[in-house]
Amino acid sequence: MAVLMLFSPEGFAHAVAEGDKGYIQEISGVHLIAFTYLGAKHMVTGYDHILFLFGVIFFLYKLRHVAVYVSLFAIGHSTTLLLGVFFNIGINSYIIDAIIGLSVVYKALDNLGAFQRWFGFQPNTKWATLIFGFCHGFGLSTKIIEYDISPDGLVPNLLAFNVGVEIGQLLALGGILILMGYWRRLPGFWTHAYTANVAMMSAGFMLIGFQLTGLFVN
């Protein structure tokens, strides 16, 4: 993950791939299948989304608990994605992506029990998941606004994009759950759980650093 962030040109922004960017800017009218595909692709290849989802379900063993938290995250990012683009609410992409990196750091610290040890209290994890979901949605809506896509067919295309995001989220979640289910059965899971969350926290700090560097350089 660290290597991907270091060598990817998209590491400095919550970006859509250049080829997809050109496509979004050039087309007009309703293109439901294309936008569904783009939404799914963004979620599956979005390392910030994957890291946060990984952290959220790290210690969730029951599917109903996974469903609750993933639903809260989906509600959050769907709301701000749709409303952000529709009402043209733009946020500096580097700042919002730094906040998204912070969401990864928060979840890693939460999994490590740091808040209870340091401050003597436990943040409400459900509210935190929803709030950071809002931030993740604003991350993408900000980039879509910057691309100035055609208003012709905007609403159905956005809805299709959001459906694609949810499909991609389910695909990513399925892969994570399969890997986690296997890992949890290994005798060394609890030994390596601490290391995994420290690594996730480090990746979050790297993401924050990339975004803040991009903010001041640009």
Side-chain angles (χ1 to χ4, degrees):
M1 185 66 67
V3 171
L4 173 65
M5 292 167 66
L6 282 171
F7 292 99
S8 170
E10 297 176 5
F12 285 91
H14 198 79
V16 176
E18 285 300 316
D20 296 337
K21 172 185 173 181
Y23 177 77
I24 290 172
Q25 290 175 320
E26 292 173 4
I27 65 172
S28 63
V30 178
H31 297 268
L32 299 182
I33 295 177
F35 274 88
T36 300
Y37 164 75
L38 289 174
K41 178 182 178 182
H42 172 77
M43 176 57 79
V44 171
T45 59
Y47 52 79
D48 50 0
H49 294 306
I50 301 301
L51 278 174
F52 187 72
L53 275 177
F54 175 70
V56 166
I57 70 169
F58 196 91
F59 287 122
L60 297 180
Y61 289 84
K62 296 183 178 180
L63 284 179
R64 69 173 182 271
H65 295 157
V66 172
V68 168
Y69 280 88
V70 172
S71 296
L72 288 170
F73 181 58
I75 291 170
H77 70 66
S78 297
T79 300
T80 47
L81 166 61
L82 296 173
L83 295 181
V85 176
F86 189 77
F87 291 105
N88 197 35
I89 304 173
I91 300 175
N92 183 286
S93 60
Y94 292 106
I95 293 176
I96 193 63
D97 285 343
I99 294 173
I100 290 172
L102 179 63
S103 74
V104 176
V105 173
Y106 154 78
K107 196 57 213 171
L109 289 173
D110 185 45
N111 289 344
L112 293 169
F115 297 107
Q116 291 179 332
R117 289 200 303 271
W118 295 348
F119 307 110
F121 81 99
Q122 172 61 47
N124 188 302
T125 54
K126 292 179 180 177
W127 275 108
T129 302
L130 177 64
I131 291 170
F132 280 124
F134 290 146
C135 296
H136 280 248
F138 270 128
L140 186 56
S141 68
T142 297
K143 296 306 295 185
I144 292 177
I145 290 172
E146 290 177 2
Y147 295 153
D148 194 26
I149 64 177
S150 171
D152 183 18
L154 176 62
V155 173
N157 285 339
L158 278 179
L159 291 174
F161 187 89
N162 194 63
V163 168
V165 167
E166 300 312 319
I167 293 173
Q169 179 169 277
L170 289 174
L171 291 174
L173 179 64
I176 293 172
L177 287 175
I178 291 171
L179 292 174
M180 289 295 294
Y182 173 75
W183 186 25
R184 286 167 177 166
R185 290 195 294 269
L186 297 178
F189 171 71
W190 288 103
T191 302
H192 298 109
Y194 177 86
T195 303
N197 278 281
V198 170
M200 182 171 67
M201 179 177 60
S202 300
F205 276 123
M206 288 177 65
L207 182 58
I208 294 172
F210 286 149
Q211 303 309 325
L212 294 181
T213 300
L215 175 64
F216 292 113
V217 168
N218 293 282

